Amino acid sequence: EDQVTQSPEALRLQEGESSSLNCSYTVSGLRGLFWYRQDPGKGPEFLFTLYSAGEEKEKERLKATLTKKESFLHITAPKPEDSATYLCAVQAWGAGSYQLTFGKGTKLSVIP
Amino acid sequence: DTGVSQNPRHKITKRGQNVTFRCDPISEHNRLYWYRQTLGQGPEFLTYFQNEAQLEKSRLLSDRFSAERPKGSFSTLEIQRTEQGDSAMYLCASSLQAGNTEAFFGQGTRLTVV
């Protein structure tokens, strides 16, 4: 069974204090790993897709990286508007539906 | 196109009543998914459509749940004889059929069963 574990569960940062969120996964064969951002009461917002170990993607202050067992979401010089829950999800080969298996998320709070 | 649209945004119902939610996906997207999310958890897969065909259902989807996508466009999710445990955010997502493409989510329908 595919599993995704995210750590830490919650993270408080001062504005400008860089850090990383971790996503560890177990999957029969990784088709893709996805990062989403979710604001309270809203649906998840797509950020990145990573397909193979060694791949990296960047968007503004966010950078996602992938190894064979985990992914990191690096946040550089965060701002209060980066406060949200960040969700990691995997998609496995052989899952004909292309369904995503999500972790519980990391709740990020950036303090001014 | 403004993205995936879900209605209603909020629904309060009494235990035992039936409820129906609607999802309008992004127009060119063939794949449509329903997920359920409870507080402090990530979304959990419920069911998947490719065009009008329902190709997969999670074991989370009990007999009280039914989903349709009659013309391969919008979809509905019905819950019969609601229970307090059905209280959750119900999320719809859609994606293109070609290749391994990302799914885009709607804003969800928050269901509260009292």
Side-chain angles (χ1 to χ4, degrees), chain A residues 1 31-32 34 36 38 41-46 49 51 87 91 95-105, chain B residues 9 31 33 35 37 40-43 45 48 50 56 59 89 91 99-108 110:
Chain A
E1 184 177 327
R31 181 183 253 161
F34 300 77
Y36 287 84
Q38 187 173 31
K42 303 280 183 70
E45 175 189 345
F46 171 76
T49 310
Y51 295 106
L87 296 166
Q91 191 178 68
S97 68
Y98 299 88
Q99 65 181 263
L100 298 173
T101 299
F102 282 87
K104 293 183 179 181
Chain B
R9 291 294 313 278
R31 296 177 186 158
Y33 310 81
Y35 288 82
Q37 186 176 26
Q41 303 294 315
F45 170 76
Y48 160 68
Q50 183 163 305
E56 189 158 343
R59 58 182 178 276
M89 174 79 88
L91 294 163
N100 181 26
T101 58
E102 56 272 10
F104 293 90
F105 283 81
Q107 297 290 46
R110 168 72 65 189

Side-chain angles (χ1 to χ4, degrees), chain B residues 45-48 54-61 65 67:
Chain B
F45 170 76
L46 292 178
T47 191
Y48 160 68
Q54 187 175 18
L55 296 184
E56 189 158 343
K57 293 192 289 186
S58 164
R59 58 182 178 276
L60 292 175
L61 210 67
F65 288 69

